[in-house]
């Protein structure tokens, strides 16, 4: 791989004639950089797509190729990408519907807007994987038909399809009125009864770990129930029986349903498995009584997940902040707090609560400044990224709390150049701070040169346009290919050097 050319391919300042030359000799790696260029012309995109099909697929997904630019016989993946995006020629669908490559037929089955005759062809495909893909994406009428398909894998896909009629989803769960499924992927490949070894040594085996079939296709039907529980179209009345199901996975899925009735939520709040209660804790459907029950739950991850509930009472949240490690993140309830609640939170005696509030980036100036002067480093660390802080305030944070806040100060998008230079000029620069400075738009040449002393920051700083041009050129010979590519992609790389880097392309 030529890392210099890969970097140049993504360089926004690359002269147009060099783009043309790179297109003419591109391999898959160079093409990846070229395809990401915002200034790639349609002619260049078409030429690149002809040369490297992987790039054709990407360009098709990004809307930079039209149906007229793609040959479905020589560029099948790009043609399927256009069909998936709704921009392909519908005549192609009939070509792919009889393609001997099953993966292409599966891909076609997931495309929207298929002609009715093509849908029917795919629904009758000899490979059940194709039929299952149709079932996953098809219309309500065909989904209802495929719910009676003899293969359990197709029924599982119907259960996941949000277009499937609610009454059909309910029937799939009970099986009432449906003929029993005759086959599943397990008994298609192994003689029943069979339980797949979780440590199966066969490299060609694609059965899921623990898949089993004793004649009733139980693992696939379990997956069907999982899909129905995830499916918002499934009527909640058909799912309530899973509150007492022996499968923890199914009870977890039920606990996360946003239409969960209060009585079922209360029952799941006493589930013996903490994972079920943790899923319930984040469910926006649960009421305050269940919230308060879960607040006292010391089970694994229950209280932390409850802290992320959008309607958790602030007094409960304050208690959770003291009881569990939440970390510096903007919690939904904090984000929606009113001005009076913000004022109350800002004066909380618990520094963790003040830290959580400091993660908001729309605080009134007086509260922002109060938190900037907080005596607790974790509060200051959270507020350090807030817009509107002055250089004096940011410097004061560093002077008071040193390495504990320096990286967050460096990451503030409004930190001025002089302060960034000051942060990198400290006796022992903090590595995290160097990485933040390396990507900061206000970073200067002197600050970036210090960043080059850290391996991770070096990879970022090599691409910063404020780096001195002569240094960029030197980095093209770096031992780290990440640095080489970043330097070659640096828009401040002299154009004369760019030309020198591709001498073999002259005359193309």
């Amino acid at each position: 791989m030529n890392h210099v050319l890969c970097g140049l391919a993504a360089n926004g300042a690359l002269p147009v004639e060099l783009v043309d030359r790179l297109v003419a000799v591109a391999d898959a790696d160079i093409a990846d950089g070229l395809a990401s260029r915002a200034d790639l012309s349609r002619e260049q995109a078409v030429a690149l797509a002809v040369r490297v099909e992987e790039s054709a697929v990407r360009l098709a997904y990004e809307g930079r190729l039209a149906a007229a630019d793609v040959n479905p016989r020589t560029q099948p993946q790009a043609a399927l990408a256009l069909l998936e995006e709704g921009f392909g020629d519908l005549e192609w669908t009939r070509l792919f519907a009889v393609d001997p490559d099953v993966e292409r037929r599966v891909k076609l089955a997931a495309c929207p807007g298929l002609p009715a005759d093509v849908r029917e062809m795919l629904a009758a495909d000899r490979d059940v994987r194709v039929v299952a893909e149709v079932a996953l994406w098809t219309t309500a009428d065909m989904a209802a038909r495929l719910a009676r398909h003899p293969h359990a894998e197709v029924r599982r896909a119907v259960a996941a399809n949000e277009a499937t009629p609610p009454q059909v989803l309910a029937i799939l769960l009970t099986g009432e009125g449906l003929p029993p499924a005759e086959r599943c992927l397990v008994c298609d490949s192994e003689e029943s009864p069979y339980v797949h070894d979780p440590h199966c040594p066969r490299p060609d085996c694609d059965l899921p770990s623990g898949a089993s079939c004793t004649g009733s296709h139980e693992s696939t039907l379990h997956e069907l129930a999982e899909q129905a529980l995830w499916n918002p179209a499934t009527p909640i009345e058909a799912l309530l029986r899973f509150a007492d199901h022996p499968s923890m996975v199914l009870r977890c899925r039920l606990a996360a349903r946003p239409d969960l009735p209060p009585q079922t939520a209360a029952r799941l709040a006493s589930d013996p498995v903490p994972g079920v209660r943790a899923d319930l804790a984040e469910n926006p459907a649960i009421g305050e009584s269940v919230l308060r029950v879960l607040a006292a739950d010391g089970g694994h991850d229950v209280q932390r997940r409850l802290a992320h509930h959008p309607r958790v009472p602030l007094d409960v949240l304050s208690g959770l902040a003291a009881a569990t490690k939440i970390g510096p993140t903007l919690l939904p309830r904090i984000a929606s707090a009113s001005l009076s609640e913000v004022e109350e939170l800002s004066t909380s005696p618990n520094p963790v609560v003040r830290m959580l509030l400091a993660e908001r980036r729309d605080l009134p100036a007086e509260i922002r400044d109060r938190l900037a002067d907080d005596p607790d480093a974790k509060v200051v660390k959270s507020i350090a990224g807030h817009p509107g802080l002055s250089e004096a305030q940011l410097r004061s944070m560093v002077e008071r709390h040193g390495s504990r806040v320096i990286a967050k100060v460096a990451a503030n998008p409004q930190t001025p150049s002089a302060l960034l230079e000051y942060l990198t000029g400290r006796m022992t620069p903090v590595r995290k701070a160097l990485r933040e400075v390396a990507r900061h738009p206000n970073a200067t040449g002197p600050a970036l040169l210090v960043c080059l002393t850290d391996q991770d920051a070096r990879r970022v700083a090599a691409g910063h346009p404020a780096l001195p041009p002569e240094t960029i050129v030197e980095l093209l010979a770096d031992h780290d290919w990440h640095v080489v590519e970043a330097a070659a992609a640096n828009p401040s790389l002299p154009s004369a050097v760019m030309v020198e880097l591709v001498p073999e392309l002259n005359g193309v």
Side-chain angles (χ1 to χ4, degrees):
M1 181 187 298
N2 189 322
H3 295 292
V4 170
L5 294 185
C6 287
L8 278 174
N11 193 317
L14 192 69
V16 64
E17 62 272 15
L18 290 186
V19 176
D20 288 334
R21 294 176 180 180
L22 285 179
V23 167
V25 298
D27 58 16
D29 298 308
I30 296 172
D32 189 55
L34 289 169
S36 69
R37 298 184 63 87
D39 63 348
L40 195 71
S41 69
R42 180 162 180 254
E43 293 75 16
Q44 290 169 332
V46 171
L48 186 62
V50 170
R51 182 169 179 84
V52 182
E53 186 175 5
E54 294 94 331
S55 67
V57 174
R58 175 175 177 176
L59 292 166
Y61 276 125
E62 294 178 355
R64 303 174 78 174
L65 294 177
D69 302 324
V70 173
N71 184 329
R73 297 186 183 278
T74 59
Q75 299 168 295
Q77 298 304 327
L80 285 165
L82 282 176
L83 285 170
E84 184 179 350
E85 293 299 303
F87 299 118
D89 186 335
L90 289 182
E91 284 303 311
W92 298 347
T93 63
R94 295 178 176 86
L95 173 68
F96 288 121
V98 295
D99 196 301
D101 187 334
V102 65
E103 297 300 331
R104 293 177 188 169
R105 302 200 308 276
V106 169
K107 184 79 171 177
L108 176 65
C111 293
L114 294 175
D117 62 313
V118 173
R119 274 209 329 269
E120 293 292 344
M121 290 172 65
L122 295 172
D125 197 276
R126 63 185 180 276
D127 194 302
V128 71
R129 290 172 294 175
V130 179
V131 184
E133 196 69 17
V134 173
L136 183 60
W137 302 106
T138 194
T139 56
D141 56 341
M142 180 168 278
R145 284 169 45 198
L146 291 176
R148 303 180 66 83
H149 197 279
H151 204 287
E153 184 67 14
V154 176
R155 298 186 183 191
R156 182 201 64 79
V158 172
N161 188 338
E162 295 185 16
T164 301
Q167 65 272 24
V168 174
L169 290 166
I171 291 171
L172 280 170
L173 288 169
T174 63
E176 295 175 5
L178 292 178
E182 298 173 8
R183 306 292 299 173
C184 69
L185 292 181
V186 179
C187 59
D188 278 349
S189 57
E190 304 289 343
E191 184 177 350
S192 296
Y194 178 79
V195 177
H196 187 226
D197 182 357
H199 307 290
C200 179
R202 294 179 297 171
D204 60 338
C205 180
D206 56 4
L207 285 176
S209 176
S212 66
C213 179
T214 59
S216 59
H217 324 298
E218 58 271 12
S219 65
T220 305
L221 294 180
H222 186 280
E223 292 173 4
L224 183 154
E226 279 191 67
Q227 296 300 330
L229 280 157
W230 275 125
N231 193 331
T234 307
I236 189 62
E237 297 77 17
L239 301 174
L240 298 182
R241 63 191 180 92
F242 290 103
D244 299 312
H245 197 280
S247 168
M248 177 201 74
V249 172
L250 298 185
R251 299 200 309 278
C252 281
R253 300 291 183 267
L254 178 62
R257 288 280 303 197
D259 52 357
L260 194 66
Q263 305 92 320
T264 308
R267 187 190 313 177
L268 292 172
S270 60
D271 193 278
V273 178
V276 176
R277 306 195 305 272
D279 280 348
L280 179 68
E282 278 187 310
N283 190 331
I286 62 176
E288 184 171 338
S289 60
V290 173
L291 282 167
R292 292 189 179 276
V293 168
L294 294 173
D297 190 329
H300 175 67
D301 216 28
V302 176
Q303 292 174 327
R304 188 194 66 81
R305 302 271 291 276
L306 185 65
H308 289 77
H309 194 282
R311 292 186 294 103
V312 60
L314 286 181
D315 67 304
V316 172
L317 183 56
S318 296
L320 293 171
T324 187
K325 187 174 182 179
I326 299 173
T329 185
L330 181 58
L331 299 175
R333 183 62 181 88
I334 297 288
S336 65
S338 66
L339 283 177
S340 60
E341 290 172 331
V342 166
E343 177 66 36
E344 177 185 347
L345 292 168
S346 71
T347 58
S348 170
N350 185 345
V352 176
V353 173
R354 303 197 305 274
M355 174 196 74
L356 294 171
L357 175 64
E359 287 295 321
R360 276 185 60 156
R361 293 296 176 258
D362 60 346
L363 295 173
E366 62 274 14
I367 293 179
R368 176 201 65 201
D369 294 344
R370 182 189 307 163
L371 295 174
D373 290 333
D374 199 281
D376 195 291
K378 59 179 168 286
V379 179
V380 176
K381 185 177 178 181
S382 283
I383 202 66
H386 199 290
L389 290 168
S390 68
E391 180 175 355
Q393 286 175 306
L394 293 170
R395 281 182 181 271
S396 174
M397 292 177 182
V398 175
E399 290 167 1
R400 287 183 289 121
H401 300 288
S403 61
R404 290 175 292 179
V405 302
I406 189 172
K408 291 296 184 180
V409 170
N412 188 313
Q414 296 180 355
T415 298
S417 300
L419 182 53
L420 294 174
E421 287 191 16
Y422 168 74
L423 297 179
T424 56
R426 291 169 62 89
M427 185 73 69
T428 53
V430 176
R431 294 186 64 193
K432 287 185 179 179
L434 292 180
R435 296 169 203 166
E436 296 296 344
V437 173
R439 63 173 61 90
H440 202 290
N442 294 337
T444 62
L448 292 166
L449 291 175
V450 178
C451 293
L452 294 177
T453 62
D454 176 77
Q455 181 178 357
D456 292 332
R458 184 182 185 87
R459 294 177 173 181
V460 181
H464 200 293
L467 200 64
E470 60 274 15
T471 303
I472 301 172
V473 175
E474 292 173 3
L475 292 174
L476 293 173
D478 198 86
H479 69 280
D480 186 336
W481 69 266
H482 296 94
V483 174
V484 173
E485 284 199 9
N490 195 317
S492 293
L493 182 68
S495 57
V497 176
M498 295 182 189
V499 174
E500 292 175 3
L501 291 172
V502 287
E504 71 275 16
L505 302 181
N506 289 333
V508 173

